[in-house]
């Protein structure tokens, strides 16, 4: 995001996104006792979502000690003629959460109610009414027993966010050294340096002005512009056809190309253009014209033109299939063969304004399919990085979140979910860090390896800093 004195206040994140079939909390998947005759008073409406990036949804929670078979039970809004029948075989284990997307049956309005009935459709079990849309979630605090209130995050399928930090785990100390040092020369880049990606001895850096940098090691632990093949001052990026100026925010490498996430065309800065662009970087010219654009604008919730795609990373198909990743487009385990020729992996993009992450299969032909939607656990995403050695996804927020980092991994339901949250290193001031890159396993020495941040504001005349993280 371009630095500005009037930088807009970013909206709060949706902390969990209902992407396909109803989600079941991990605690409800194993060790559940055999269901007994339904103790109806143990099942409660626990969360309701009526607006935002999540379809209208109602979550149930079993606060009792026995599993409950809720097959055939009925959800209604304030109109008796509207109903959603819970599918057969639906069990709620003790302490289990289950969320239902009711948008295909009825809509939940700004002044409405959610009601739960036994299968006869007449015996009411629970209900909740409201006079304003969820912002973003109406949630019981505590789960199953407390009063409803406007929570800070959507947590469908999991414990409600009752003031514990945006629906993610509590942040821990940085998992590496506390020291941070500059990693570039004085005023080499200026402001607006954003996404980073390390590929061996090269560090790729995207700058909001529509510039891509190819950086090489400077011999002292930092990076400097490559002076070969026209890279000395970076290369100007263009959309396909050679027009426009992509507001380049994130960068990654895959399938022999460099891929850049852009949130708008700098020549029409008031309009969102949420795109992933592919570039062939093998030439010697001073500019690069995209060989392919996947314009995702129509497929994503509307954002401010300067609050769009801020991050991109690529995860190999093999890593996703090996982890049991579930494809939200098919409702089944992800199968790369289901899709036409693509990069051999899935691109995940992060949205600055909402903290949401979306996964796409980008076909070589230019078409795309969204196969995942989930919250990063942060109020904004400025960087995404896949760490193959640890099979985890890093999401990074800038000074909006005090420089917090979040890790996510595929859980037992096949969805990405937060695994840990970390504060920035104690030696790092609260800079506007919009980029983050991890070195590879080959640089791990004595259990530690280098990491790098890019500071969009060029504080103290430096845009790159280095630290360390445990391997």
């Amino acid at each position: 995001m371009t630095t500005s004195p009037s930088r807009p206040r970013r909206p709060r994140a949706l902390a969990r996104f209902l992407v396909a079939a109803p989600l079941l909390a991990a605690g409800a998947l194993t060790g559940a006792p055999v269901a007994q005759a339904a103790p109806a008073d143990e099942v409660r409406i626990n969360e309701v979502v009526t607006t935002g990036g999540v379809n209208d949804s109602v979550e149930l929670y079993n606060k009792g000690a026995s599993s409950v078979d809720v097959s055939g039970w009925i959800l209604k809004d304030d109109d008796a003629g509207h109903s959603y029948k819970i599918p057969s075989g639906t069990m709620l284990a003790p302490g289990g959460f289950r969320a239902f997307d009711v948008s295909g049956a009825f809509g939940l309005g700004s002044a409405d109610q959610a009601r739960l009935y036994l299968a006869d459709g007449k015996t009411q079990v629970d209900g909740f009414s409201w006079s304003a849309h969820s912002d973003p979630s109406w949630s019981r605090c505590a789960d199953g027993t407390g009063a409803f209130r406007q929570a800070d995050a959507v947590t469908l399928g999991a414990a409600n966010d009752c003031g514990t930090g945006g629906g993610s785990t509590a942040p821990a100390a940085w998992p590496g050294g506390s020291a941070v040092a500059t990693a570039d020369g004085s005023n080499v880049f200026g402001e607006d340096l954003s996404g980073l990606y390390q590929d061996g001895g090269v560090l790729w850096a995207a700058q909001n002005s529509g510039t891509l940098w190819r950086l090489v090691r400077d011999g002292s632990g930092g990076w400097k512009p490559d002076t070969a093949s026209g890279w000395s001052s970076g290369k100007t990026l263009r959309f396909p056809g050679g027009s426009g100026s992509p507001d380049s925010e994130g960068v990654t490498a895959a399938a022999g190309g460099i891929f850049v996430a852009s949130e708008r065309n700098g020549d029409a800065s008031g309009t969102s253009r949420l795109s992933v662009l592919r570039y062939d970087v093998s030439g010697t010219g001073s500019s690069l014209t995209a060989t392919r654009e996947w314009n995702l604008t129509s497929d994503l919730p509307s954002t401010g033109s300067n609050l769009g795609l801020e991050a991109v990373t690529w995860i190999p198909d093999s890593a996703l299939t090996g982890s049991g990743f579930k494809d939200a487009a098919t409702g089944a385990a992800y199968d790369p063969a289901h899709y036409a020729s693509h990069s051999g992996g899935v691109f995940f993009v992060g949205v600055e304004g909402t903290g949401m992450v979306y996964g796409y299969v980008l076909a070589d032909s230019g078409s795309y399919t969204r196969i995942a939607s989930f919250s990063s656990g942060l109020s904004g995403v400025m960087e995404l990085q896949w760490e193959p050695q640890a099979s985890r996804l890093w999401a990074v927020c800038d000074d909006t979140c005090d420089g917090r980092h979040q890790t996510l991994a595929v859980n037992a339901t096949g969805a990405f979910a937060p695994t840990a949250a970390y504060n920035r290193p104690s030696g790092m001031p609260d800079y506007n860090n919009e980029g983050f890159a991890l070195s590879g396993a080959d640089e791990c020495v004595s259990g530690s390896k280098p990491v790098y941040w890019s500071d969009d504001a060029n504080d103290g005349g430096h845009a790159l800093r280095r630290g360390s993280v445990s391997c």
Side-chain angles (χ1 to χ4, degrees), residues 82-437:
H82 297 162
S83 65
Y84 172 93
K85 185 177 181 179
I86 295 175
S88 61
T90 303
M91 306 293 295
L92 270 179
F97 303 84
R98 184 115 185 197
F100 301 94
D101 179 348
V102 299
S103 61
F106 51 81
L108 296 173
S110 60
D112 208 338
Q113 58 183 315
R115 297 178 290 167
L116 174 65
Y117 291 82
L118 295 180
D120 61 11
K122 299 178 181 179
T123 306
Q124 185 168 348
V125 177
D126 195 18
F128 167 61
S129 60
W130 58 89
S131 59
H133 271 306
S134 60
D135 182 26
S137 169
W138 283 110
S139 300
R140 281 191 189 272
C141 291
D143 290 301
T145 59
F148 277 91
R149 68 173 181 82
Q150 293 275 20
D152 289 339
V154 176
T155 57
L156 293 169
N160 286 339
D161 174 20
C162 296
T164 57
S168 64
T169 55
W174 178 251
S178 61
V180 173
T182 58
D184 62 349
S186 179
N187 291 309
V188 174
F189 305 102
E191 294 186 347
D192 298 333
L193 198 67
S194 190
L196 298 176
Y197 179 77
Q198 186 179 345
D199 186 12
V202 174
L203 183 67
W204 296 99
Q207 197 160 19
N208 301 158
S209 56
T211 303
L212 180 67
W213 295 86
R214 187 182 193 275
L215 308 179
V216 294
R217 300 183 191 277
D218 66 5
S220 61
W223 300 88
K224 62 182 181 180
D226 190 354
T227 58
S229 304
W231 286 102
S232 297
S233 300
K235 295 197 177 188
T236 301
L237 300 179
R238 300 296 184 196
F239 288 100
S243 64
S245 178
D247 184 353
S248 43
E249 300 281 359
V251 60
T252 193
I258 296 299
F259 293 77
V260 171
S262 174
E263 61 186 0
R264 56 185 175 174
N265 179 358
D267 293 346
S269 59
T271 302
S272 290
R273 183 169 173 173
L274 309 179
S275 297
V276 175
L277 300 155
R278 184 190 186 279
Y279 292 94
D280 178 353
V281 295
S282 62
T284 60
S286 61
S287 65
L288 298 169
T289 295
T291 59
R292 180 71 67 189
E293 177 183 14
W294 293 268
N295 189 330
L296 310 176
T297 309
S298 64
D299 191 60
L300 293 170
S302 177
T303 67
S305 62
N306 202 21
L307 293 170
L309 294 191
E310 191 80 9
V312 62
T313 195
W314 177 84
I315 302 180
D317 286 337
S318 57
L320 295 171
T321 56
S323 66
F325 176 68
K326 187 176 181 179
D327 183 341
T330 65
Y334 174 59
D335 179 8
H338 179 79
Y339 297 98
S341 178
H342 57 284
S343 64
V346 177
F347 289 87
F348 288 79
V349 295
V351 178
E352 177 180 2
T354 64
M356 291 295 294
V357 179
Y358 301 90
Y360 284 94
V361 176
L362 302 181
D364 295 344
S365 65
S367 64
Y368 60 81
T369 304
R370 191 206 308 176
I371 67 169
S373 307
F374 55 91
S375 170
S376 65
L378 301 166
S379 62
V381 179
M382 286 67 186
E383 180 70 278
L384 291 171
Q385 290 285 333
W386 174 246
E387 186 180 13
Q389 298 82 17
S391 297
R392 61 183 175 181
L393 179 66
W394 287 80
V396 181
C397 188
D398 62 5
D399 51 349
T400 305
C401 316
D402 300 318
R404 185 172 298 180
H405 297 56
Q406 183 97 5
T407 58
L408 305 97
V410 177
N411 64 15
T413 70
F416 274 97
T419 55
Y422 300 110
N423 290 319
R424 67 184 189 273
S426 59
M428 174 77 80
D430 194 11
Y431 290 143
N432 187 20
N433 288 327
E434 291 195 354
F436 175 68

